């Protein structure tokens, strides 16, 4: 995919701020700090389009990025960040759930799992929830540069087993770009499906 243009279209704190669009959309979900925003930058070959941070909880709103004027990539706030007050966590959960259940133009969800840590209970819940709502899903194992090849391979198998997936997750590294082509292939499939 050649990226001709990419920009922030909307930052939404509630469903009334979701842009009214019919063009296809792909969302990125996962625990805080797994690398959702970094993956979007990596896919778009833009270093700083999406704000990233080593401190969890950076993305607090749903950010819609318009790409090539024809589709959107959507960065969701991360879940599972213990330091966020319970009330706020609940409001994020509702925001994410509203988005994922109501968005008609959502073609697929990229669920990101840190390859070192594997899925948490919340990741499993989200996976089951997406299955239940029949949302197409791609699991990406982020930060593959942090482990050796052999260790990566065994972690991918473990994530597949833990999440009861039919396919292995795709590894990704924002440092060496491993997996970028394969991830784009999956996203292209969603974007071009009717
Ligand atoms: P929230 O917005 O808080 O939910 O986090 P996020 O999932 O968007 O994570 P973000 O992209 O901000 O990345 C978190 C940290 O992980 C940053 O310090 C990134 O540089 C680092 N990171 C992300 N992807 C990779 C990767 O593939 N390899 C390495 N080594 N570090 C990564
Ligand atoms: Mg983020």
């Amino acid at each position: 995919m050649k990226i001709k243009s990419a920009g922030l279209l909307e930052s939404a704190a509630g469903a009334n701020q979701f842009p009214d669009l019919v063009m296809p959309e792909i969302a990125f979900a996962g625990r805080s700090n797994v690398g959702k925003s970094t993956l979007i930058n990596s896919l778009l070959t833009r270093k700083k389009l999406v704000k990233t941070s080593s401190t969890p909880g950076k993305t607090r709103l749903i950010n819609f990025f318009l790409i090539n004027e024809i589709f959107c990539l959507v960065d969701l706030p991360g879940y599972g960040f213990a330091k966020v007050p319970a009330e706020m966590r609940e409001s994020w959960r509702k925001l994410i759930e509203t988005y994922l259940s109501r968005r008609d133009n959502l073609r697929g969800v990229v669920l990101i799992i840190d390859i070192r840590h594997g899925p948490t209970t919340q990741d499993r819940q989200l996976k089951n929830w997406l299955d239940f709502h029949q949302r197409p899903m791609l699991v990406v194992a982020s930060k593959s540069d942090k482990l050796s090849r052999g260790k990566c391979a065994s972690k991918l198998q473990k994530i597949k087993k833990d999440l009861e997936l039919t396919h292995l997750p795709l590894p990704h590294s924002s440092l060496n770009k491993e997996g970028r082509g394969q991830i784009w292939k999956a996203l292209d499939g969603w974007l071009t499906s009717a």
Side-chain angles (χ1 to χ4, degrees):
M1 168 82 59
K2 185 156 170 40
I3 307 301
K4 288 174 248 159
S5 63
L8 180 66
L9 182 70
E10 184 74 74
S11 287
N16 56 345
Q17 291 168 336
F18 295 168
D20 192 7
L21 300 173
V22 286
M23 63 177 87
E25 219 163 80
I26 294 171
F28 294 74
R31 270 180 48 230
S32 219
N33 210 239
V34 288
K36 297 175 292 298
S37 303
T38 303
L39 175 58
I40 297 177
N41 281 334
S42 168
L43 290 170
L44 298 175
T45 57
R46 302 290 199 274
K47 281 207 170 80
K48 292 193 181 132
L49 177 68
V50 191
K51 289 197 189 78
T52 65
S53 169
S54 53
T55 314
K58 179 71 191 173
T59 312
R60 296 178 171 213
L61 302 169
I62 297 189
N63 290 319
F64 296 79
F65 295 91
L66 178 63
I67 316 303
N68 294 352
E69 310 279 331
I70 50 168
F71 67 94
C72 275
L73 296 184
V74 178
D75 192 16
L76 297 174
Y79 46 81
F81 177 39
K83 282 190 190 146
V84 173
E87 216 172 89
M88 204 164 162
R89 250 182 300 173
E90 182 57 16
S91 86
W92 288 3
R93 192 187 60 75
K94 280 202 189 121
L95 180 64
I96 295 170
E97 221 173 85
T98 305
Y99 172 81
L100 291 174
S101 57
R102 291 210 208 142
R103 200 73 180 153
D104 290 336
N105 56 333
L106 178 62
R107 293 285 175 86
V109 179
V110 181
L111 172 59
I112 302 154
I113 311 283
D114 188 316
I115 197 161
R116 296 164 300 173
H117 309 314
T120 62
T121 305
Q122 277 172 307
D123 293 324
R124 269 192 294 272
Q125 282 169 351
L126 179 58
K127 190 263 174 187
N128 292 337
W129 191 92
L130 291 169
D131 279 350
F132 180 78
H133 288 270
Q134 297 183 315
R135 289 294 197 194
M137 180 181 36
L138 172 73
V139 180
V140 168
S142 64
K143 312 193 187 185
S144 63
D145 53 276
K146 300 259 191 189
L147 298 177
S148 67
R149 292 247 140 234
K151 208 85 202 160
C152 273
S154 64
K155 290 282 188 189
L156 293 177
Q157 290 289 353
K158 175 128 180 34
I159 296 170
K160 175 174 181 248
K161 187 161 171 268
D162 287 351
L163 285 179
E164 299 175 46
L165 303 173
T166 48
H167 301 285
L168 279 178
L170 295 179
H172 177 260
S173 162
S174 63
L175 296 191
N176 62 31
K177 309 299 172 205
E178 181 188 15
R180 203 166 65 184
Q182 268 186 297
I183 297 170
W184 261 125
K185 220 168 148 183
L187 304 195
D188 273 336
W190 284 340
L191 293 172
T192 52
S193 69

